[in-house]
Amino acid sequence: MGFMSFSCTHDPTATVDQDMESQIDSCYPDLINFVDVVQPIIATNCAIEEACHSGDNSWGNFTTYSGIVEKIETGAFVSRVAGGTMPPDYTDGPYPLDTCSRQILLLWIEQGFPL
């Protein structure tokens, strides 16, 4: 397994509706895949132990690739990520997805969500 390094710049004025390519120029690695790039974002923000997406529940199990793909295919994952509504404001839980992380996830989906 190789080591992949990338960095993000956070622009608090950026929105998901702006041109994706211009927003993520300094934000995404050359290859976005689940194991090296997406899973760490999900583990930090969504699938926290004993939280919303860490087990078998109606919200989905995001500890596995197949669990996330299931929600991508229904459209639920994309709408919540693109809309900036994850995690919801009413939770005490995980860290909110910043613009860079949202853009990485959306680009990963656009690229066919490679493993």
Side-chain angles (χ1 to χ4, degrees):
M1 181 168 13
F3 177 75
M4 182 176 286
S5 174
F6 64 95
S7 65
C8 290
T9 57
H10 178 67
D11 178 359
T13 63
T15 66
V16 176
D17 296 328
Q18 293 174 338
D19 178 34
M20 184 180 291
E21 291 300 323
S22 66
Q23 282 188 37
I24 60 175
D25 282 343
S26 62
C27 187
Y28 73 98
D30 292 333
L31 174 65
I32 298 175
N33 63 46
F34 178 74
V35 173
D36 297 320
V37 180
V38 173
Q39 192 170 29
I41 294 171
I42 297 297
T44 301
N45 297 282
C46 313
I48 297 176
E49 195 170 317
E50 298 182 24
C52 297
H53 299 290
S54 64
D56 292 327
N57 58 49
S58 61
W59 303 299
N61 181 353
F62 290 0
T63 62
T64 66
Y65 176 79
S66 61
I68 295 173
V69 168
E70 180 182 321
K71 292 298 183 180
I72 290 170
E73 291 175 344
T74 67
F77 188 88
V78 175
S79 67
R80 300 297 295 267
V81 170
T85 59
M86 289 313 287
D89 292 337
Y90 58 81
T91 66
D92 294 332
Y95 304 105
L97 287 168
D98 61 24
T99 300
C100 182
S101 295
R102 283 196 321 267
Q103 295 296 9
I104 287 171
L105 294 173
L106 294 172
L107 185 58
W108 172 67
I109 293 166
E110 183 178 295
Q111 293 174 346
F113 37 95
L115 185 60

